[in-house]
């Protein structure tokens, strides 16, 4: 598991302005804009845990940072931080694990609901396919040796969060079918040219236990809307 202790010296810089945040109303000068952008960039170093912090967590973290910047005597701090610093990584890991477990539970419930929504095709590895628009004028389907051109949108099944979309970019993508995740390899071989389908990818057919940080968490079930445009 990635360790986060190295982040805190950087975050001291990020939150130093919190001591006077009520005095900052506008960011006007180029220097101020660069300082603000630096703070934003440093915040990204928190990685996936930043999305799991409650408002109370954030307030207490800022309080600790303010005290660390203000007091030179550790006796003035509200807790004996030396007792807790070794446990920071464990605290962070628990927050991420809890959130991931919630996502897995939600996804499993939605898979069961999806299976009841009509005619579903299940591939040998467990991917699920439901056509939303079927081109009856062509029965041509790609083989694993083909390249395909598709429009797609990918989201986390558990919460609907979109992580990638060629539709939003307005640019379909072309790729060898053998170069993508198992879910896409098997599902696209079931979709005929010109058709659209919803494809559900269980984690074992996608990015598995590791996920694809920071976008896709571990054990994530993915939902794709796919339109097959060309077979080459």
């Amino acid at each position: 598991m990635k360790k986060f202790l190295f982040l805190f010296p950087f975050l001291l810089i990020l939150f130093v302005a919190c001591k006077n945040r009520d005095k900052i109303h506008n960011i006007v000068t180029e220097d101020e804009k660069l300082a603000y952008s630096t703070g934003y960039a440093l915040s990204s170093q928190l990685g996936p845990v930043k999305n799991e912090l409650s408002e109370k967590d954030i307030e207490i973290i800022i309080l600790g940072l303010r005290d660390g910047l203000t007091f030179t005597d550790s006796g003035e701090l509200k807790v004996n931080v030396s007792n807790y610093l070794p446990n920071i990584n464990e605290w962070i890991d628990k927050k991420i694990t809890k959130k991931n477990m919630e996502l897995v539970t939600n996804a499993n419930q939605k898979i069961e609901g999806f299976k009841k929504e009509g005619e579903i095709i299940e591939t040998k590895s467990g991917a699920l396919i439901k056509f939303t628009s079927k081109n009856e004028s062509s029965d041509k389907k790609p083989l694993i040796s083909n390249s395909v051109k598709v429009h797609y949108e990918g989201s986390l099944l558990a919460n609907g969060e979109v992580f990638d979309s060629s539709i939003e970019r307005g640019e379909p993508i072309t790729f060898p079918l053998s170069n993508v995740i198992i879910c896409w390899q098997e599902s696209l071989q079931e979709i005929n040219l010109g058709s659209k389908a919803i494809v559900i990818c269980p984690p074992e057919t996608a990015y598995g236990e590791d996920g694809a940080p920071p976008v896709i968490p571990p054990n994530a079930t993915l939902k794709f809307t796919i339109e097959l445009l060309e077979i080459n």
Side-chain angles (χ1 to χ4, degrees):
M1 177 65 68
K2 183 179 179 181
K3 302 305 179 185
F4 294 90
L5 287 179
F6 76 94
L7 299 173
F8 286 88
F10 295 102
L11 292 174
L12 288 174
I13 301 170
L14 174 62
F15 287 106
V16 67
C18 291
K19 294 171 66 178
N20 297 306
R21 64 179 181 176
D22 294 336
K23 299 178 182 179
I24 301 175
H25 301 290
N26 296 300
I27 298 172
V28 178
T29 69
E30 289 302 302
D31 192 60
E32 290 169 345
K33 291 175 182 178
L34 283 167
Y36 180 85
S37 298
T38 300
Y40 176 83
L42 290 171
S43 73
S44 67
Q45 294 187 56
L46 275 171
V49 74
K50 70 179 182 180
N51 298 321
E52 316 312 332
L53 298 174
S54 67
E55 287 296 324
K56 185 175 182 180
D57 288 334
I58 293 170
E59 289 176 5
I60 294 175
I61 288 170
I62 291 173
L63 177 62
L65 288 165
R66 287 178 179 173
D67 286 356
L69 291 165
T70 302
F71 301 131
T72 55
D73 184 350
S74 61
E76 297 178 277
L77 301 178
K78 294 174 177 58
V79 299
N80 185 345
V81 294
S82 62
N83 289 340
Y84 293 94
L85 288 176
N87 301 323
I88 290 175
N89 287 317
E90 182 182 359
W91 179 71
I92 289 172
D93 289 348
K94 283 182 177 179
K95 284 190 170 292
I96 294 174
T97 300
K98 180 181 177 182
K99 181 64 174 180
N100 288 342
M101 289 178 66
E102 291 173 355
L103 290 175
V104 169
T105 299
N106 290 344
N108 289 339
Q109 292 172 348
K110 290 187 176 182
I111 285 175
E112 293 306 310
F114 184 79
K115 289 180 177 179
K116 299 175 182 177
E117 290 182 3
E119 186 176 347
I120 303 295
I121 299 171
E122 184 169 355
T123 71
K124 63 181 180 181
S125 296
L128 303 173
I129 307 162
K130 182 177 75 172
F131 285 94
T132 57
S133 176
K134 194 159 187 178
N135 179 16
E136 301 294 349
S137 65
S138 175
D139 59 1
K140 186 178 181 181
K141 298 176 181 178
L143 302 173
I144 193 66
S145 57
N146 290 130
S147 289
V148 295
K149 183 177 184 179
V150 304
H151 251 323
Y152 71 95
E153 181 172 271
S155 60
L156 302 181
L157 179 62
N159 58 14
E161 181 180 331
V162 175
F163 57 81
D164 194 13
S165 176
S166 71
I167 299 170
E168 184 177 322
R169 292 190 298 271
E171 296 179 1
I173 64 168
T174 301
F175 53 86
L177 194 52
S178 60
N179 285 5
V180 291
I181 57 175
I182 293 295
C183 179
W184 274 47
Q185 290 182 14
E186 295 182 355
S187 298
L188 279 162
Q189 291 183 77
E190 299 290 339
I191 300 173
N192 60 306
L193 184 64
S195 293
K196 297 179 183 180
I198 294 172
V199 176
I200 303 298
C201 303
E204 60 271 19
T205 70
Y207 297 98
E209 295 182 354
D210 294 331
V215 178
I216 298 173
N219 296 308
T221 298
L222 309 181
K223 176 182 177 181
F224 291 95
T225 300
I226 302 175
E227 180 181 8
L228 180 56
L229 301 175
E230 292 180 11
I231 302 172
N232 301 306

